[in-house]
Amino acid sequence: MTIAQRSEITATLDPDNLAGSDAKICQAARVSTLGSAAAESGEASGLINYLMRDRHGSPFEHGQLSFLVEAPIFVAREFMRHRAGWSYNETSGRYRELVPVFYIPDRKRPLVQEGKPGAYTFVDGTHEQYGITRWEHEQAYRTAWSSYQRMLKAGVAKEIARDVLPVGLFTSFYATCNPRSLMHFLSLRTRVPSATFPSFPQQEIEKVAQDMEEAFAEHFPLTYIAYTNNGRVCP
């Protein structure tokens, strides 16, 4: 039986579902003092930096970014712990037969945890550890996929047959957010030593966050600069 192995995890910006700009954030902030005239105001890095520094967060909700995320189920479940300001729609194993694409950690992925909870690091594994990791993943995936296929062929409903599939199976979902909720996500799911409150995310979800951060920096550049200059603290 053939199953596909994949180590690349991606988040791709949907350009058709992109809205807002640094200028719109400034207009939203200025409406409290300018009223309808705020629509004529331009963007200003000083204003955005002020909003970020003093944590006036609501103007940063006036925008939208939407991503197609392709990741193993364990990443999706960790991702969906982020609820405020996020909307999700995911591939359904109830309504379609799933595709046998499974996550295999690549050779660059550190395997060994050193230290105790709250104060640990990951280091590279040995050649033997990488070998057994790959072999065990492949064996488990083949066994689970065979069970899934046997149940489908026997007429068992998709929503029941999928129960045997592991969290290493790839799924696809749309994740839509505003700049403020994205900044909160990035503050928790990226490892940046200069951050005011450093975080220690799992490597797989950090890859998703890095893709999202690139899109954020491109489309909301003044907001992104203010975010990084103020310690990566979500306002």
Side-chain angles (χ1 to χ4, degrees):
M1 179 197 64
T2 301
I3 61 172
Q5 302 173 3
R6 179 173 175 178
S7 59
E8 183 183 16
I9 299 169
T10 59
T12 305
L13 181 70
D14 179 0
D16 295 327
N17 208 9
L18 175 67
S21 63
D22 291 321
K24 291 296 182 184
I25 290 170
C26 289
Q27 290 169 9
R30 287 177 170 139
V31 75
S32 61
T33 56
L34 297 179
S36 61
E40 305 302 322
S41 62
E43 63 184 52
S45 60
L47 174 57
I48 287 178
N49 190 70
Y50 159 73
L51 296 171
M52 192 76 67
R53 184 194 68 211
D54 287 11
R55 303 192 73 184
H56 296 293
S58 58
F60 297 104
E61 296 174 11
H62 294 273
Q64 178 174 288
L65 303 96
S66 188
F67 300 90
L68 175 62
V69 181
E70 296 178 279
I73 290 172
F74 71 85
V75 172
R77 296 302 162 261
E78 191 173 7
F79 202 108
M80 291 178 187
R81 294 180 61 82
H82 299 270
R83 298 179 295 278
W86 288 88
S87 298
Y88 301 103
N89 281 94
E90 184 180 3
T91 294
S92 175
R94 293 186 66 194
Y95 304 118
R96 59 166 295 188
E97 182 176 337
L98 297 172
V99 178
V101 179
F102 295 92
Y103 178 68
I104 299 284
D106 65 26
R107 190 62 178 79
K108 297 178 182 178
R109 208 286 187 212
L111 290 184
V112 180
Q113 179 179 319
E114 293 184 345
K116 57 186 179 181
Y120 59 80
T121 58
F122 283 88
V123 298
D124 290 342
T126 64
H127 178 76
E128 291 74 18
Q129 286 171 325
Y130 277 99
I132 193 171
T133 296
R134 186 178 191 89
W135 191 87
E136 293 291 355
H137 275 71
E138 291 175 350
Q139 292 301 113
Y141 292 155
R142 286 194 169 88
T143 298
W145 189 255
S146 294
S147 297
Y148 175 65
Q149 289 294 306
R150 284 194 296 270
M151 282 189 282
L152 292 180
K153 290 176 182 177
V156 176
K158 297 182 185 69
E159 65 184 57
I160 299 298
R162 65 176 175 171
D163 294 352
V164 301
L165 296 174
V167 295
L169 180 73
F170 263 76
T171 185
S172 300
F173 60 95
Y174 276 101
T176 300
C177 61
N178 60 58
R180 188 184 192 184
S181 55
L182 180 56
M183 285 186 281
H184 180 257
F185 175 82
L186 295 176
S187 72
L188 296 173
R189 302 300 184 179
T190 56
R191 185 189 304 261
V192 179
S194 62
T196 300
F197 305 103
S199 187
F200 305 93
Q202 185 167 336
Q203 179 174 304
E204 285 78 7
I205 196 169
E206 185 176 21
K207 177 58 176 69
V208 176
Q210 289 168 344
D211 286 350
M212 292 179 160
E213 183 161 345
E214 289 181 10
F216 177 42
E218 178 181 355
H219 294 284
F220 293 85
L222 297 182
T223 300
Y224 178 70
I225 291 170
Y227 171 65
T228 56
N229 286 348
N230 285 275
R232 299 176 68 90
V233 176
C234 177

